[in-house]
Amino acid sequence: MKIRCECGGIIVDQTDSLPYKGHLISDQDWFDFLDAIDRAIEKSGPTDKDKERAAMSIRRLAVHLTKLIYQCTNCGRLYVTNEEEELETFQNLKPFEGKSILASDSGKNQN
């Protein structure tokens, strides 16, 4: 997918571990998500098939609960998917200093 930013920049989503892409979970869903992870760990069963089934259920839930968020690397605008999977735009009032707010804090998987 390619998103043309209002500033003219292009946001490209064609691979994993992008420093300008994130996944947003509502605070209203956050603890339900954590509880589902706990249940999957505690009750997944002893076999590899049981563990795989539990992991896949968490992945499906994560996809269902998250909205995608992108940041333009040129101007810093944020694009967030809404319920209709359309993009809504948000812009900081301060000048963009070139640092992605979506980049990894742990330093892993950075491009």
Side-chain angles (χ1 to χ4, degrees):
M1 170 169 55
K2 292 182 182 179
I3 302 164
R4 179 172 296 281
C5 182
E6 294 176 26
C7 75
I10 303 289
I11 302 167
V12 180
D13 182 4
Q14 295 178 333
T15 187
D16 295 327
S17 301
L18 297 171
Y20 50 84
K21 178 183 176 184
H23 303 266
L24 184 66
I25 297 179
S26 165
D27 191 54
Q28 294 171 319
D29 294 327
W30 182 243
F31 288 103
D32 291 338
F33 182 62
L34 294 177
D35 289 343
I37 292 171
D38 291 345
R39 281 191 305 277
I41 291 169
E42 294 166 0
K43 300 177 182 178
S44 68
T47 70
D48 288 344
K49 192 172 222 168
D50 292 333
K51 291 176 183 3
E52 180 181 354
R53 190 177 304 118
M56 293 309 293
S57 72
I58 293 302
R59 287 175 181 253
R60 281 190 299 277
L61 181 60
V63 168
H64 174 71
L65 293 179
T66 59
K67 295 176 174 81
L68 295 177
I69 182 170
Y70 301 90
Q71 184 178 26
C72 177
T73 58
N74 289 335
C75 70
R77 276 186 183 86
L78 295 176
Y79 290 86
V80 181
T81 55
N82 62 21
E83 293 79 21
E84 291 83 31
E85 296 190 22
E86 300 168 333
L87 292 171
E88 296 195 23
T89 308
F90 300 89
Q91 184 176 5
N92 193 340
L93 297 176
K94 299 176 186 174
F96 181 57
E97 296 178 3
K99 181 165 178 7
S100 174
I101 63 170
L102 302 175
S104 173
D105 283 340
S106 66
K108 297 178 184 175
N109 299 320
Q110 290 187 8
N111 292 338

